[in-house]
Amino acid sequence: MDQAEGKADVFFQKLGLKLNPQQFQAACTVKGPVLLAAVPGSGKTTVLVARLANMIWRHGISGSNILVLTFSTSAASHMKERFRKLVGNCPENEPEFRTIHSLCLKIIRKWEKREGRKGPRLRPEAPGILGWLYRAQTGREPSEQLLWQLEGQVSQRHNLISNERQMRSLRTGEVDFDRLCRDYEAWKKARRIMDFDDLLSFALDILRKDPDFLKELQGQYCYICVDEVQDTSFLQHEILRLLCTGEENLFMVGDEDQSIYGFRGAFPQGMLDFKRHFPAGRLIIMNTNYRCCACIARGADGFIGRNRQRNQKHMKAFQKREGKVEHLSFFSEGEQFLYLTGALQKNREKSHAVLFRNNDSAVGLVHFFTKTGLAFQMKGQKHPFFSHFLTKQIAGYFRLSHNPRDQKALLCIGDSLGLGLDQTSEAILKEGAKKSSDTSFSFSMLFSQAFQDSLKDWQRQRCHRLLHELVKLRYDAPAAGIERILKNMGYRDHLRAKLKEGASMEGLDHKLDLLLLIAQDCAGGQDFTARLDFLSKCMENGSQESCEKAKNPVWISTVHRAKGLEFDGVWLIDVQEGRFPQLPPDTADDQERGRLLEEEARLFYVAVTRAREQLTFLSVKNLLWGRYEPSIYIRDFLRAAGARPPQPYKTESDRLRGKGDDLWPEEKKSAQKNDSSFFA
């Protein structure tokens, strides 16, 4: 170690930091373009704040000349907090911590002041406007879930100016997506409004067209540090390259193996193209994982090696203990949740997380956890399961059976009644609804003389059959009631029509499976709808009120939202073929299919590397749409980890069915959709 390195080492020791050689090299690098490729749990945040302290206190660089960019507002706050904890509170010489969107807004406002002109207003209200444009184009009412999907795809299109192939792949049902995007841009332009994605393109346009202003910014931000660079879009990479032109003091930290936000336009290729854009740049790899036990780190490293679009690096575990990795398979989702609840209740001394690929998996978890009083936490928000048309309409039938004057329930199920109404009949109903009050509007309006006279014979018969079945539904057990709605009230035909419009059969069947799971624990229809309301409230609050102060509540999360977190134990549920990995659409070509499958592998990699000591995979064999095999990801991971092969979890119901170890026949292929589906 030379004299300069010795002084740096003493400096870091005084800060209470003990850095390994890779971390030390990164923290001491100040000038030029640098890409730090850091595996999970390698201490990248520690290195980032150590490097900032080194730049300011050893090299005399003013904090006002250092810009630190993070992926989210919370990450920026966390980084600032870690920096202050390391060196103390010194606001007069502190770097500027921002998200890239915040930086772009600052660039736009600063340029406006410089030029003496007023730019567009920032109004991030895309979902509402997109819903209005969707209705204008299709004449149909979009669900909340569809609006979220539209917003994500419009944002993705905005950030994918580098990839025409991906842009062409963006489609949403039968809507003309290109026209929708054009109409949205025209609406914003006419009102001089910009959304969050416009911040990026407007700022980039300013930097390209005003070289004097760009030079002014480059003089202010002489050193730029970017965290989670794998999550930045092509548009964001272009902004960074412009800002650092000159001395190119750009320090980027990330891991292309953890790039999981492709649906938001993330551009991991930017890390792989680093040497092409910065030929004199340095690539530093931090490959020591301080978080995971040896077995998990070994399995994760071997698993992610299957991907081709990555920097070649091998993760090594600092921990010597092997830890625990296992896989359990269950006959049904109910048995999976029952086992998981019992296992978590026995081990409350350590931190645990239950992770999953798809949002709907949270519903069954919260149902079982609230039944048993198991404390949990999740990111509170309105869950799409409860706003989905299927959930709302099934609940609507039950509500209407107990209260025929429930106007909201009748309007909710209206398009599922299968009456094939013409404009005259619809006008009569709408006129009746307009004249009525909440107490007088009822299901009996379908039997008014004026309305009945407007119908054909088969439509009248359908109305009377619906009324007959609705009366019976009032006395059904909820699970039997759902079957009545599907078979006797024609709701299955309505779902078939939704499939033709682009709905996913697996998605609809999974929702029905969850509704039946909840219904089986309810005494009647009113109890069932009340249970749905309760679960919706719990998920919106992020916990059960009685569990808010409990020690070590279980964290419930999608894998996407768990990124950056770590736990003693991780339980990854619903890990079966078709669910995780989620298969690309049939319309995807080979190149797009490969890209999507590599991102699915990265998502799995992120999930398993959240665990410190224990990792358990749970899969379900039988769902409403057929029999499924466990995800091939599990077997690849266990093989790489050197762990034991999958073990079936034997339950009493398995024994009674005459099942056993043959529940896991290796030679059987993944099940296809079969006649056990509700749509058969």
Side-chain angles (χ1 to χ4, degrees), residues 64-266:
S64 62
N65 293 135
I66 303 174
L67 174 64
V68 182
L69 297 175
T70 64
F71 185 62
S72 64
T73 304
S74 59
S77 299
H78 175 68
M79 188 78 71
K80 182 187 290 189
E81 190 178 308
R82 286 285 297 271
F83 177 77
R84 289 177 175 176
K85 187 176 181 180
L86 183 67
V87 301
N89 194 355
C90 52
E92 70 284 350
N93 202 19
E94 191 171 81
E96 190 172 327
F97 296 90
R98 286 185 176 275
T99 65
I100 196 162
H101 285 86
S102 169
L103 171 67
C104 288
L105 181 60
K106 180 179 180 179
I107 289 172
I108 293 168
R109 296 306 182 221
K110 187 173 183 177
W111 182 81
E112 288 173 351
K113 188 175 181 180
R114 183 174 180 267
E115 295 295 311
R117 64 173 71 178
K118 194 69 175 175
R121 293 171 295 143
L122 177 63
R123 290 181 64 185
E125 55 183 12
I129 303 307
L130 290 175
W132 177 71
L133 293 172
Y134 182 90
R135 285 189 293 272
Q137 184 184 138
T138 66
R140 296 193 298 271
E141 186 71 27
S143 65
E144 286 186 36
Q145 189 174 27
L146 178 57
L147 286 180
W148 293 335
Q149 184 182 357
L150 282 172
E151 182 185 12
Q153 292 200 336
V154 168
S155 176
Q156 188 179 8
R157 180 189 177 94
H158 198 101
N159 282 277
L160 283 177
I161 60 174
S162 66
N163 195 324
E164 289 293 332
R165 180 187 296 271
Q166 282 181 245
M167 287 173 66
R168 288 195 300 271
S169 72
L170 296 175
R171 293 292 181 268
T172 304
E174 296 180 349
V175 69
D176 185 338
F177 188 65
D178 290 335
R179 177 186 160 193
L180 187 77
C181 290
R182 289 194 303 270
D183 291 345
Y184 179 51
E185 293 302 318
W187 182 90
K188 290 186 294 182
K189 187 175 180 180
R191 292 159 179 79
R192 290 183 55 77
I193 285 173
M194 61 180 174
D195 59 22
F196 279 126
D197 292 312
D198 292 324
L199 289 174
L200 303 174
S201 54
F202 286 2
L204 180 60
D205 195 48
I206 289 171
L207 297 178
R208 283 173 172 170
K209 292 181 178 179
D210 194 333
D212 291 335
F213 181 62
L214 173 60
K215 191 172 182 179
E216 181 183 327
L217 289 173
Q218 290 170 344
Q220 178 182 354
Y221 300 126
C222 304
Y223 299 87
I224 300 176
C225 175
V226 186
D227 189 22
E228 304 286 10
V229 69
Q230 77 278 352
D231 295 328
T232 54
S233 68
F234 177 82
L235 212 57
Q236 293 166 345
H237 274 281
E238 289 295 294
I239 292 170
L240 292 172
R241 281 198 287 270
L242 279 174
L243 286 174
C244 77
T245 301
E247 294 188 25
E248 295 186 336
N249 293 323
L250 177 64
F251 187 84
M252 300 191 296
V253 186
D255 181 9
E256 73 283 355
D257 290 334
Q258 297 186 71
S259 181
I260 59 174
Y261 294 107
F263 61 92
R264 293 181 184 170

Side-chain angles (χ1 to χ4, degrees), residues 174-452:
E174 296 180 349
V175 69
D176 185 338
F177 188 65
D178 290 335
R179 177 186 160 193
L180 187 77
C181 290
R182 289 194 303 270
D183 291 345
Y184 179 51
E185 293 302 318
W187 182 90
K188 290 186 294 182
K189 187 175 180 180
R191 292 159 179 79
R192 290 183 55 77
I193 285 173
M194 61 180 174
D195 59 22
F196 279 126
D197 292 312
D198 292 324
L199 289 174
L200 303 174
S201 54
F202 286 2
L204 180 60
D205 195 48
I206 289 171
L207 297 178
R208 283 173 172 170
K209 292 181 178 179
D210 194 333
D212 291 335
F213 181 62
L214 173 60
K215 191 172 182 179
E216 181 183 327
L217 289 173
Q218 290 170 344
Q220 178 182 354
Y221 300 126
C222 304
Y223 299 87
I224 300 176
C225 175
V226 186
D227 189 22
E228 304 286 10
V229 69
Q230 77 278 352
D231 295 328
T232 54
S233 68
F234 177 82
L235 212 57
Q236 293 166 345
H237 274 281
E238 289 295 294
I239 292 170
L240 292 172
R241 281 198 287 270
L242 279 174
L243 286 174
C244 77
T245 301
E247 294 188 25
E248 295 186 336
N249 293 323
L250 177 64
F251 187 84
M252 300 191 296
V253 186
D255 181 9
E256 73 283 355
D257 290 334
Q258 297 186 71
S259 181
I260 59 174
Y261 294 107
F263 61 92
R264 293 181 184 170
F267 186 64
Q269 188 65 33
M271 291 186 68
L272 303 180
D273 292 341
F274 173 72
K275 278 291 188 179
R276 181 166 65 86
H277 292 296
F278 303 100
R282 299 175 62 186
L283 171 63
I284 301 173
I285 294 177
M286 294 200 317
N287 63 355
T288 302
N289 180 304
Y290 291 89
R291 175 191 303 156
C292 305
C293 62
C295 188
I296 295 173
R298 190 167 58 244
D301 179 64
F303 173 82
I304 201 59
R306 62 163 58 206
N307 276 7
R308 297 179 180 179
Q309 298 299 313
R310 62 190 298 263
N311 288 303
Q312 291 304 311
K313 55 185 182 293
H314 288 287
M315 180 165 59
K316 300 176 182 178
F318 178 79
Q319 306 289 345
K320 300 301 180 185
R321 68 183 188 283
E322 275 294 294
K324 181 181 180 183
V325 178
E326 63 178 342
H327 169 214
L328 301 173
S329 87
F330 297 84
F331 183 82
S332 67
E333 283 198 293
E335 290 179 358
Q336 174 188 238
F337 294 138
L338 189 62
Y339 169 84
L340 182 59
T341 304
L344 289 169
Q345 283 178 322
K346 294 175 183 176
N347 191 356
R348 299 190 182 186
E349 296 304 313
K350 296 186 177 182
S351 62
H352 289 269
V354 183
L355 306 182
F356 36 85
R357 172 66 179 84
N358 297 318
N359 263 308
D360 284 349
S361 296
V363 178
L365 280 172
V366 173
H367 174 60
F368 271 81
F369 285 5
T370 52
K371 277 201 313 177
T372 58
L374 182 65
F376 70 92
Q377 277 188 321
M378 61 189 302
K379 184 175 181 179
Q381 63 173 9
K382 289 185 177 180
H383 197 282
F385 175 84
F386 300 99
S387 60
H388 193 275
F389 79 87
L390 190 152
T391 306
K392 291 170 70 175
Q393 288 181 338
I394 292 292
Y397 277 101
F398 279 102
R399 296 183 200 279
L400 201 60
S401 71
H402 288 275
N403 179 15
R405 297 187 181 280
D406 190 329
Q407 179 179 354
K408 187 177 179 182
L410 178 56
L411 294 176
C412 174
I413 68 170
D415 71 332
S416 72
L417 294 175
L419 292 173
L421 301 180
D422 57 24
Q423 292 182 351
T424 303
S425 302
E426 286 186 349
I428 293 172
L429 275 182
K430 288 179 180 178
E431 186 64 25
K434 191 183 298 183
K435 292 179 179 179
S436 67
S437 65
D438 288 345
T439 56
S440 63
F441 188 92
S442 73
F443 193 74
S444 62
M445 284 190 65
L446 296 178
F447 303 93
S448 67
Q449 192 61 49
F451 180 71
Q452 288 285 308

